[in-house]
Amino acid sequence: MARVFSGVQPTGNIHLGNYLGALKQFVELQDQEECIYCIVDEHAITVPQDPKELREHVLDVAALYLAIGIDPKKSIVFVQSQVSGHAELGWICTCNTSTGELFRMTQFKAKSGGKESVGTGLLVYPTLMAADILLYDAEIVPVGNDQKQHIELTRDIAQRMNFKYGDDCFVVPDGRFMKAGARIMALDDPTSKMSKSATNELSRISLLDEPNKIKKAIMKATTDSDGVVKFDIENKPGISNLMTIYAAFTDMSFDEIEKKYEGHGYGDFKKDLVVIVQDALAPIRERYEEIRHSDELIEILEDGAKRARAIAEPVLKRVQDKVGFGYDK
Ligand code: ATP
Ligand code: LTN
């Protein structure tokens, strides 16, 4: 069994992009591999957070993990800040990464907007992400396409430190990306990715959205004027994005979807998609409501942190020894 690690930020509004790009794979992988799923609150504070809201959002994501089908008997589910090894290994990774590498990260460029007033955490964030993964000797990291560059950097850090300190320092991980859904675009602007932070509520569908909101967002989604249901990212990004969502939920190919809607306009296609998404999200919402305020949720996180620490501690010790921390007694 290979070891799998991934994380989601507790910043609210978990949306279809997060689900189809990453979370859906989390569930699929737990039957084949040894999976560790984290709620990365230390990453969340790279931008300002209200402490009270942050604590709530941690439990929101934990409950969502379970609601989509992550089974705590099969997978470890825990909160990053409860395992101190992340921050400790993060520092070691930071010291083995050049500032040039970090300034080149496209996510840093986008999120900082070139301003020097942004927090330093936003710049060094990828070294903490590398530590998250390397701390567990993880081999597979299921994520959306937007994280490709961060995974590459993680591999670079691991290989560089293996060269410097010996091959058994780190396991070099691989990213795992979905075929359909690795990059879901905003519904109001199919040229930018669906995001938690966009101000237009109708730009995304959150996993806990009411059926009416789902309908509104899909029926209003930006398409084009030629009315043909055809997959063509370049020239028809809006309908192609909706087809990607359709395909991810139904397992139909783009060819099959095109055939089904031949001679129909976007209206029929969108109406069907509304029902498909509503039906897929209804059981998730129901399960979420059951578990979000339960004692069981806290117990699962406490147990998850214990199990995570048991894996992380010997790995951290191994790396600290290599780096030269401590002294001979
Ligand atoms: P956002 O950009 O929406 O604020 P994020 O990428 O900053 O989200 P996370 O919640 O930690 O933060 O992301 C969880 C997972 O969802 C990651 O694996 C990420 O790659 C994936 N993901 C995020 N947005 C999309 C998208 N639009 N399409 C596909 N996958 C996505
Ligand atoms: N950077 C990721 C979240 C994240 C992560 C990780 C994903 C933090 N640490 C480790 C996979 C493995 C994001 O913003 N989506």
Side-chain angles (χ1 to χ4, degrees), residues 1-255:
M1 268 209 285
R3 190 171 288 151
V4 173
F5 183 95
S6 196
V8 171
Q9 296 198 50
T11 38
N13 289 329
I14 300 286
H15 51 67
L16 279 191
N18 300 133
Y19 181 60
L20 298 178
L23 290 158
K24 203 161 158 253
Q25 311 193 63
F26 293 8
V27 183
E28 289 160 9
L29 279 163
Q30 66 179 350
D31 290 321
Q32 307 136 32
E33 317 291 359
E34 181 191 353
C35 297
I36 306 173
Y37 298 127
C38 185
I39 299 149
V40 290
D41 52 352
E42 291 172 340
H43 282 268
I45 64 161
T46 55
V47 295
Q49 297 289 343
D50 176 82
K52 245 181 155 167
E53 276 179 22
L54 182 59
R55 292 167 87 92
E56 291 297 317
H57 284 154
V58 164
L59 295 180
D60 293 346
V61 174
L64 259 182
Y65 269 168
L66 304 182
I68 61 166
I70 291 173
D71 177 353
K73 287 196 199 77
K74 294 182 190 156
S75 304
I76 296 178
V77 176
F78 77 104
V79 181
Q80 184 185 28
S81 61
Q82 304 308 297
V83 179
S84 61
H86 291 257
E88 293 175 75
L89 187 61
W91 178 248
I92 296 174
C93 290
T94 299
C95 293
N96 282 279
T97 306
S98 71
T99 51
E101 285 177 299
L102 295 175
F103 279 116
R104 276 197 293 278
M105 293 290 125
T106 50
Q107 198 177 60
F108 172 70
K109 289 189 210 166
K111 290 201 172 174
S112 66
K115 288 195 298 275
E116 285 188 0
S117 55
V118 298
T120 312
L122 213 52
L123 178 67
V124 297
Y125 164 118
T127 59
L128 180 60
M129 175 164 164
D132 297 339
I133 299 165
L134 299 176
L135 187 59
Y136 296 91
D137 284 340
E139 295 157 82
I140 303 174
V141 187
V143 278
N145 259 353
D146 61 323
Q147 297 300 314
K148 254 190 184 150
Q149 206 183 17
H150 293 159
I151 301 289
E152 271 313 304
L153 181 72
T154 303
R155 290 171 56 83
D156 288 346
I157 294 171
Q159 280 160 346
R160 175 179 312 152
M161 290 184 64
N162 283 349
F163 185 71
K164 197 164 155 188
Y165 298 109
D167 268 351
D168 50 346
C169 190
F170 285 129
V171 169
V172 182
D174 281 303
R176 190 172 186 277
F177 308 94
M178 295 296 273
K179 280 189 208 85
R183 192 169 171 80
I184 300 293
M185 309 310 281
L187 297 177
D188 61 337
D189 171 14
T191 59
S192 56
K193 75 161 194 162
M194 186 177 284
S195 157
K196 291 172 179 169
S197 50
T199 44
N200 183 3
E201 281 282 333
L202 295 181
S203 69
R204 65 181 159 259
I205 292 172
S206 297
L207 292 193
L208 301 174
D209 276 346
E210 300 284 333
N212 258 336
K213 155 77 199 303
I214 296 172
K215 183 172 173 191
K216 214 165 155 190
I218 292 176
M219 296 314 285
K220 284 201 165 203
T222 304
T223 47
D224 51 65
S225 54
D226 81 6
V228 182
V229 177
K230 187 174 180 327
F231 190 82
D232 178 353
I233 292 256
E234 288 279 301
N235 302 306
K236 295 162 70 70
I239 194 72
S240 300
N241 188 41
L242 295 179
M243 285 176 73
T244 303
I245 296 171
Y246 196 117
F249 278 119
T250 59
D251 282 333
M252 278 170 77
S253 69
F254 294 136
D255 268 355

